[in-house]
Amino acid sequence: MKRIGVLTSGGDSPGMNAAIRALTRYAIDNNFKVIGFFKGLKGVLDNEYTELTDRSVSGIIERGGTILQSSREPRFFDYNFRKLAYSNLNNLNIDALVIIGGNGSFNAAYKIFKESNIKVIGITGTIDNDIYPTEYTLGYDTALNTAKEAIDKIRDTAYSFERVFIVEVMGRDYGQLPLEVALATGSEIVLVPEFKVDIEEIAQKIHIFKQKGKKHVIIVLSEGYSNAYDFYNQLNPVLKKYSDYELKVSVLGHIQRGGSPTAKDRIFGTLSAYKAIDAILKNQNGYYVGLINNKYTLIPFEEVINNKKTISQELVNFLEEIAG
């Protein structure tokens, strides 16, 4: 019986368990044995694994996080450790490895594809939606809605006390999550890694909003733009020149990664797993499952390695135009 390995790597994202469940069951239906590695590539290096069965993946579709756990494994980027990983996989008779993760995980997957005899297929798993060129990544919708719900609650307090709130959200290198969170919550200002804005200009915008009669202002700050408290220390003295504004900070942090996945993420994880097993059955190798023109598509890992997603300055400008 042929064997498929599966692991979750890097930051966890809601919907990973839905992908593990569907992948396991569809693989078993096609006469594969499924080996789940614990803690990502660390499990491959340390031979920490379990056989996944229909029953072991029962009741997990609604759970956030990943039942296989995850890690970031720097040892894997040392070729001597990669040789150990390939040896371990071959000793377990793993014919194909499915890696669920983000950009770092797909960089590792690309090395496996180039250096070993093991077929490798990727399923996206990152709340940042920053993998090129797929239109969507697993976990994004849940993270977006989690941040939206949190900011809706913060706005109630901001209005009650007429405060300016800095709300730090995830989005280290790519600003789509903070931008769409800001659009969804009607926030007045969004700051993303791609575009730097002068502190004086930000203070002036807040002053104009207040002059127009706004009772509060929400600034959605990407973690990749600045640390929220560092940004507070920069903005607060400048803002005081205009008026006695009360500036507050809220850091959403890892709350955005957790929680039960939305229907969209459960479906995306499930159908991505179906496409991944279908690719293995067709002996395809070196691809990840992405969404292009709303169609599940196999995309070469080279696309991730050699390209980077960007967001539109026009949308950032539009958000501020309708904020008043």
Side-chain angles (χ1 to χ4, degrees):
M1 180 179 286
K2 289 189 175 182
R3 289 183 165 198
I4 290 175
V6 59
L7 59 86
T8 50
S9 176
D12 60 312
S13 61
M16 281 182 165
N17 285 327
I20 293 167
R21 170 185 175 271
L23 184 134
T24 298
R25 291 185 170 177
Y26 191 45
I28 290 171
D29 284 349
N30 283 279
N31 299 313
F32 287 102
K33 182 176 284 190
V34 182
I35 303 299
F37 291 95
F38 292 113
K39 300 179 183 177
L41 291 161
K42 183 179 187 302
V44 177
L45 289 170
D46 296 341
N47 269 324
E48 296 178 355
Y49 59 86
T50 187
E51 182 179 349
L52 298 177
T53 67
D54 285 334
R55 296 284 60 80
S56 66
V57 297
S58 179
I60 66 170
I61 194 170
E62 72 277 12
R63 288 174 56 182
T66 161
I67 63 163
L68 291 175
Q69 300 184 289
S70 190
S71 70
R72 292 183 171 88
E73 183 45 83
R75 291 182 297 168
F76 194 79
F77 292 93
D78 178 328
Y79 180 64
N80 290 320
F81 280 102
R82 290 204 300 279
K83 286 195 296 184
L84 172 62
Y86 305 150
S87 175
N88 288 344
L89 290 167
N90 283 318
N91 288 338
L92 287 169
N93 296 314
I94 300 294
D95 297 286
L97 183 65
V98 178
I99 294 180
I100 307 172
N103 276 304
S105 303
F106 285 1
N107 269 277
Y110 182 68
K111 292 183 183 300
I112 296 170
F113 165 61
K114 283 293 188 180
E115 296 174 353
S116 78
N117 63 333
I118 298 148
K119 291 191 285 292
V120 59
I121 297 292
I123 293 175
T124 68
T126 169
I127 67 166
D128 290 331
N129 198 19
D130 60 346
I131 295 176
Y132 184 90
T134 181
E135 296 158 6
Y136 189 78
T137 62
L138 185 59
Y140 180 75
D141 187 62
T142 307
L144 176 62
N145 279 282
T146 297
K148 180 266 297 178
E149 290 166 9
I151 291 176
D152 285 348
K153 292 177 172 64
I154 290 168
R155 187 178 287 280
D156 292 341
T157 292
Y159 176 84
S160 297
F161 286 89
E162 296 192 21
R163 288 171 174 164
V164 178
F165 259 87
I166 300 165
V167 184
E168 182 186 311
V169 302
M170 287 186 167
R172 186 178 59 223
D173 300 313
Y174 178 56
Q176 184 175 356
L177 179 62
L179 174 58
E180 293 198 349
V181 166
L183 286 166
T185 56
S187 297
E188 285 72 26
I189 296 172
V190 62
L191 299 171
V192 294
E194 291 87 345
F195 312 116
K196 292 296 181 180
V197 184
D198 182 72
I199 285 288
E200 183 74 31
E201 182 182 338
I202 294 168
Q204 288 173 358
K205 286 179 181 177
I206 293 169
H207 183 61
I208 291 168
F209 284 136
K210 289 284 193 173
Q211 283 187 318
K212 291 166 73 174
K214 291 191 75 71
K215 300 296 184 184
H216 62 287
V217 173
I218 302 291
I219 303 169
V220 175
L221 173 71
S222 166
E223 63 177 342
Y225 187 96
S226 173
N227 172 278
Y229 293 99
D230 290 343
F231 183 72
Y232 170 92
N233 290 331
Q234 294 173 45
L235 178 61
N236 197 43
V238 180
L239 200 56
K240 292 297 183 186
K241 294 192 305 184
Y242 291 91
S243 186
D244 188 28
Y245 294 125
E246 188 175 7
L247 188 61
K248 293 290 184 179
V249 172
S250 183
V251 178
L252 299 189
H254 288 79
I255 188 176
Q256 295 158 94
R257 279 216 203 130
S260 181
T262 60
K264 181 172 183 176
D265 280 325
R266 297 181 195 194
I267 293 166
F268 184 80
T270 298
L271 295 182
S272 293
Y274 168 80
K275 187 72 175 179
I277 295 299
D278 185 60
I280 292 168
L281 289 168
K282 293 175 180 175
N283 288 315
Q284 292 171 304
N285 186 18
Y287 298 91
Y288 80 91
V289 180
L291 202 65
I292 302 293
N293 296 324
N294 208 34
K295 181 179 179 182
Y296 290 85
T297 305
L298 293 179
I299 300 168
F301 284 126
E302 285 94 337
E303 293 287 314
V304 180
I305 307 302
N306 297 323
N307 295 282
K308 186 178 180 180
K309 271 188 171 180
T310 58
I311 63 168
S312 167
Q313 176 78 66
E314 283 184 32
L315 283 179
V316 175
N317 295 340
F318 170 70
L319 179 142
E320 294 182 2
E321 284 174 13
I322 63 171

